Amino acid sequence: MSAASSSVAARGNGPLIVKIGGTTLEHQATQNDLWRSLVSLSKSHAGGLIIVHGGGKAVDRLMDRLGIKPARVQGLRVTPDDQIPEIVGVLAGTVNKSLVGCIQRAGGKGVGLSLGDGGMLACRKVALIATDSGPADLGRVGEVTGGSAELARTLIASGYIPVLCSIGLDEAGQPLNLNADDAAAGLARALKASALVLLTDVEGIKDKAGKLIPYATPADIERLIVSGDIYGGMIPKTRAAAKVVSETGSEVVILSGDRPEHLLRWTKGEPAGTRISA
């Protein structure tokens, strides 16, 4: 059975990793159908389900109140040392607990944690990034280097839905801000996930003419970046997806978080969003 037609049940017993971002986070109080779908999926899929989230817009609002203009390099937020406490507070606190509340209201048992809790994933500060104007230091921005995510397995086995924010810890125990797509991808690799679902503001990858691209390989992703069809924040998202596919063989699908029916269609093996596979 091909990845393009298989249902969730046919994709293996690893957990489903669902990354939530964009307007889905902003309008979470009105997304009751989505939360019910996720809770139902966590119970029906043998490997359980894990939610990973960022919260860039919530962080932007806080930075605006503090009079700080956010900076990004290649779609990644620059995180100076003096801003990391506030970012941790928003992501691991306000946003994380509000999502746990959504899961609870939908009848699930959500547990809010960060990537650093229980040593789920090992992280390190990213190296300097090459730009047209020279090397750029992103500050307290991290990347996943490994880990077993054993705590997540334990929670799933006990019937819980782990809700993980994209805050990791370095070897010295200091917090790092990870791109949530990269965090979800790292978790998918560590847990050998049956699939990674990226819920975002758009229904999938589109070409310059605005036409949905239903299927792509990792090689296609790089070609679309070079051509300019994929740009901005979609670059780290799609590259993280391509890395998961290349390293694990698991399918990655990009879906609209505002259209929960698309998630249900995908679980049944019906066409929805953009599927990335080998």
Side-chain angles (χ1 to χ4, degrees):
M1 184 175 290
S2 69
S5 62
S6 60
S7 66
V8 169
R11 293 188 176 108
N13 291 327
L16 290 174
I17 310 296
V18 179
K19 183 266 178 176
I20 294 177
T23 57
T24 305
L25 283 179
E26 294 297 290
H27 303 151
Q28 56 188 261
T30 63
Q31 298 280 3
N32 292 328
D33 288 344
L34 174 63
W35 307 125
R36 284 193 289 266
S37 295
L38 290 172
V39 170
S40 176
L41 191 53
S42 75
K43 296 175 180 178
S44 63
H45 180 61
L49 180 142
I50 299 172
I51 292 174
V52 179
H53 69 87
K57 292 183 180 180
V59 172
D60 284 344
R61 286 194 296 272
L62 174 61
M63 294 295 110
D64 184 62
R65 290 199 298 271
L66 296 175
I68 299 171
K69 184 176 177 59
R72 287 178 172 80
V73 175
Q74 297 180 10
L76 299 173
R77 178 187 297 275
V78 178
T79 307
D81 288 355
D82 60 355
Q83 293 180 21
I84 192 67
E86 285 75 19
I87 291 175
V88 171
V90 172
L91 299 185
T94 307
V95 177
N96 185 265
K97 299 314 170 193
S98 64
L99 290 181
V100 170
C102 291
I103 293 297
Q104 304 281 68
R105 289 195 299 274
K109 297 193 296 182
V111 177
L113 298 166
S114 73
L115 296 176
D117 288 320
M120 272 189 285
L121 292 179
C123 303
R124 69 184 175 196
K125 184 180 180 297
V126 300
L128 298 178
I129 291 182
T131 68
D132 293 339
S133 57
D137 185 355
L138 299 182
R140 298 299 301 170
V141 172
E143 62 183 352
V144 176
T145 59
S148 66
E150 190 59 34
L151 177 57
R153 296 180 194 275
T154 301
L155 291 170
I156 289 173
S158 298
Y160 294 97
I161 301 175
V163 181
L164 309 179
C165 76
S166 54
I167 295 294
L169 298 174
D170 63 17
E171 290 184 351
Q174 297 302 307
L176 292 168
N177 181 26
L178 279 74
N179 174 274
D181 295 308
D182 289 337
L187 199 64
R189 294 194 299 272
L191 290 170
K192 295 179 174 57
S194 57
L196 169 61
V197 180
L198 302 177
L199 296 182
T200 186
D201 294 343
V202 295
E203 58 181 314
I205 299 173
K206 296 183 178 182
D207 61 21
K208 291 179 180 177
K211 183 179 179 181
L212 179 69
I213 299 173
Y215 173 80
T217 66
D220 291 332
I221 295 300
E222 285 305 313
R223 178 178 55 79
L224 290 166
I225 290 173
V226 172
S227 68
D229 291 278
I230 294 176
Y231 59 92
M234 283 294 282
I235 292 177
K237 183 186 300 295
T238 52
R239 279 186 168 153
K243 187 174 182 180
V244 169
V245 171
S246 297
E247 294 184 359
T248 70
S250 299
E251 180 179 284
V252 180
V253 60
I254 299 175
L255 298 169
S256 170
D258 296 328
R259 302 288 297 275
E261 68 272 18
H262 288 190
L263 176 64
L264 294 177
R265 279 166 46 189
W266 171 77
T267 63
K268 298 174 183 177
E270 299 172 1
T274 298
R275 299 175 188 228
I276 305 170
S277 72

